[in-house]
Amino acid sequence: MPYHEFECSKCIPERKKHAVIKGPGEDLTHALPLGYLNTIPGSISERGCAYCGAKHVIGTPMKDVIHLSHGPTGCTYDTWQTKRYISDNDNFQLKYTFASDVKEKHIVFGAEKVLKQNIIEAFKAFPDMKRMTIYQTCATALIGDDVDAIAEEVMEEMPEVDIFVCNSPGFAGPSQSGGHHKINIAWIKKKVGTVEPKITSDYVINYVGEYNIQGDQEVMLDYFNRMGIQVLSTFTGNGSYDELRAMHRAHLNVLECARSAEYICNELKVKYGIPRLDIDGFGFEPLSTSLRKIGLFFGIEERAQAIIDEETARWKPELDWYKERLKGKRVCLWPGGSKLWHWANVLHEEMGVDIVSVYTKFGHQGDMEKGIARCEVGALAFDDPNELEGLEAIDMLKPDIIFTGKRPGEVAKKVRVPYLNAHAYHNGPYKGYEGWVRFARDIYNAIYSPIHQLSHLDISKDEIPTGAGFQTATMISDVNLSEEVLSSSTLRQYTGKYDSVSDLRKKTYPEFKKKERSE
Amino acid sequence: MSCEIKQKGRVGTINPIFTCQPAGAQYVSIGVKDCIGIVHGGQGCVMFVRLLISQHLKESFEIASSSLHEDGAVFGALNRVEEAVDVLLMRYPHVKIIPIITTCSTEVIGDDVDGVVIKLNEGLLKEKYAGREVHLIPIHTPSFVGSMVSGYDVAVRDFVRYFAKKDKTSEKINLITGWVNPGDVTALKHLLSEMQIEANVLFEIESFDSPLMPDGNSVSFGNTTIDDLTATGSALGTIALNRYEGGKAAEFLQKEFDIPAVIGPTPIGIRNTDTFLRNLKKMTGKPIPESLVRERGIALDALTDLTHLFFADKKVAIYGNPDLVIGLAEFCLDLEMKPVLLLLGDDNLSYPNDSRIQALKEKVDFDMEIITNADFWELENRIKNEGLELDLILGHSKGRFVAIDNNIPMVRVGFPTYDRAGLYRHPVVGYAGAIWLAEEMANTLFTDMEHKHNKEWILNVW
């Protein structure tokens, strides 16, 4: 597997070992891109910082918490309202953010006093909120404020509140991944085991590494509820602070995003002996396998199978409608960390697209290993992408669509390649059976938008077509389809609602009787 | 019946109105041609600001980071600046200007950015890039001082201070727009063109409303050139439209090169646009042409349809960049509206002494509050817990939930406005801006009347 040298990066030779092309018959032992190393300054990398990895990615999805950043307001402002992790308590965590507003005098004389005032003010402004997380930032880490000590002091004075401190300043690591690690470890060290939960089922899990992007967690929770499984906590999307303090009582940790949250699972295994089961809510087959595995663990396979059968019957014909129309489309799968391997193979299998490139902004070599193994032969895999390399790759690979973040999406737009938001989704959720169809629909709508035909026309040079009239997406996508597909009586386009999540919140579930234990 | 000016009572910030200084400097940097800034700090200081600006403009553009990691925070990170400059110059052959923008972390560790610029000028640039025009400009924007507004002000001054040279006096004026949108620059240049005035415009960001071209084009960039910046030192005069976003540069040019400076007013609304034209006329001797009388007339015609019938007595809260907020408040007064609450989101101590704020304090004949160092809680708490009743909110998208959750109609204006389509295209300045603002406010109120079934039938015969 040869390393790939980008033309634009020939002048920075250390980049060479960050990219490979997956050759025919080659495996990962030939070469694996380097990963999670310090960023090359000035390369216009797409990485964020360890503060955002801790606060923005993992901390803030917790819903019943005052999230306070100790530093100047910028860190807080910049990471506020840029994600789509919703919650069933009217999105408190999306709407409210708190900054201790550190100014120059605090930098000189210390900001501990002002932090304490902040904490008290925040609890006073939101008297119903009794839980708080505090995130250190670059400035307050460097001046050496003892945030933990202040938190302890307040908790002594206000016994009804509980405060979690995460010391993960922006510079702590090559990317946001450093922050994921720090907050995982801090949470298990400081908070797990401090609340005893009420156990209501024989089957108790923590759902870990799930951030409820556009409602993903609520979709999965629906399946778990239907299986009679008690979800003790979700780390952290739509998750509750006190529930997360009780993680130690689960029988099983069900892990979704291993990049950002395997640390806490591993620690829970070591400290409390709770096994870790990696699952995948994306894609019919991976999701079905995941539900089956959980069912198998608890001896309730038939409950899992019932869900799989029902959901597959309901949604598979819709997924397949899109698959017929997406076959062979070229995809650059350019997410942040874990989605390159969550999505690479299943997109090919279930939607028929070819993954021509994977990249990871903050993943480690292990993520690359899995991603490369799962993408198509000939695919270009690269670590810590930068602006010029992305453009060069687009030019070289001519993808039909790119899954990436909002701002790189703007770059793609200008070279007339549609993009889907891989972090926050377009019209998600994408987890669950219905969600996977929603993803397929978003891909289809992006690729077959009639706007692309217009944008490739140069009215100063080309013959301007007249008389052809409008074309709908289906008119474009169905040109080369077989009669069999076109006349299929089973395949159909997505039939769900714009909002597929809110109704889940109103659902009730059958009671599964808890077995009497004679201990 | 009085206007009260006070600071926010709490020390902390609940939902900030502004981000920090480096963001302002970054917004300046993208307005300059052949320029890519390096932000010396953690990567988030760039990644999120690029995201923020690209959310607002729906465009991409380039800003680099020195990518401060743990070792740099402990041992100093000037080597990261040196490497960043080199990497940037190697890979972006068109780049001539690199502002080096500091952040809280690199100011706290005391990295000598000015020193490293001297070192690079003497070393790397002479040795490796001999014959290439490269300008390294240190810009100090620690995040714990001021806000994005002062960061913008400081950066404009530093660009001007670096490039401005006195040559023989030209007929051109300097127009420093302040933190505006592409649509504002178009509107301002239109006014100049009607008056046949040439100007060095800081900054030419019209190109951020950039097309999708058949041959594909990837990155948007500003068009203010090194020549424009250099020529600011020989201009006939400077008009800085916003006191707090460009005022420092105007003052610098006046002090250093005796270039007369007119600072403000922000030409929002008819009255302030009239004053802007008067200032242009006075500075250049050029008359205000008939075409602008006509344009003004069209605006007045549109406004007269709306003022006493719909706008009169409507209570408005306004937040955002100070010059924008003040300009909008003055415009609202002309439209018979009552701007009852103004929120200025940083602790700049000179706001209370601003003559425009003084005028509000002295003359306003209804109850009005002006809060400095404000956050969104100052607004929301008044609505939720203190009985403040509002008919309209004017401000940027970060405050959207205050409007949504309290059922108050809101017009998005300022930066950022990512939750509405295309607002960067529309001006708020000049007569065109007056029309757009008034009609946007009216249509927003109308939609709200319909949504709430609140005398929506009145529009049947309007």
Side-chain angles (χ1 to χ4, degrees), chain A residues 355-374:
Chain A
I355 308 300
V356 297
S357 177
V358 289
Y359 81 35
T360 170
K361 295 174 190 181
F362 53 80
H364 299 201
Q365 277 193 304
D367 300 290
M368 263 302 181
E369 204 172 331
K370 288 188 266 185
I372 292 171
R374 293 175 195 188

Side-chain angles (χ1 to χ4, degrees), chain A residues 39 80-81 96 121 414 416, chain B residues 43 59 214 217 380 398:
Chain A
T39 317
W80 177 39
Q81 292 187 8
Y96 296 100
E121 276 177 10
K414 281 290 159 42
R416 295 162 308 174
Chain B
Q43 290 165 157
E59 296 290 341
N217 56 326
E380 193 171 338
K398 289 274 185 183

Side-chain angles (χ1 to χ4, degrees), chain B residues 269-271 274 292-308 331 334-335 430-432 434-435 438-439:
Chain B
I270 305 293
R271 190 182 306 280
D274 292 349
L292 290 180
V293 178
R294 201 180 153 72
E295 253 181 56
R296 183 175 184 271
I298 290 172
L300 284 168
D301 185 74
L303 265 44
T304 311
D305 289 338
L306 301 168
T307 51
H308 39 276
F331 185 38
D334 280 344
L335 296 174
Y431 301 124
I435 295 175
E439 292 181 339

Side-chain angles (χ1 to χ4, degrees), chain A residues 318-368:
Chain A
E318 302 189 4
L319 179 66
D320 287 344
W321 189 93
Y322 292 102
K323 182 181 182 180
E324 290 296 341
R325 288 155 178 86
L326 293 174
K327 273 184 189 155
K329 291 295 172 194
R330 299 164 65 79
V331 172
C332 285
L333 175 50
W334 288 351
S338 69
K339 287 197 189 89
L340 78 149
W341 48 266
H342 271 296
W343 285 357
N345 182 52
V346 66
L347 277 170
H348 179 71
E349 292 294 327
E350 300 191 353
M351 297 189 199
V353 299
D354 293 331
I355 308 300
V356 297
S357 177
V358 289
Y359 81 35
T360 170
K361 295 174 190 181
F362 53 80
H364 299 201
Q365 277 193 304
D367 300 290
M368 263 302 181

Side-chain angles (χ1 to χ4, degrees), chain B residues 118-139:
Chain B
I118 295 169
K119 185 182 171 196
L120 284 163
N121 282 333
E122 295 298 315
L124 182 77
L125 297 189
K126 269 194 183 153
E127 288 153 19
K128 191 167 170 183
Y129 298 98
R132 179 164 166 185
E133 182 183 5
V134 179
H135 306 276
L136 306 177
I137 310 172
I139 298 179

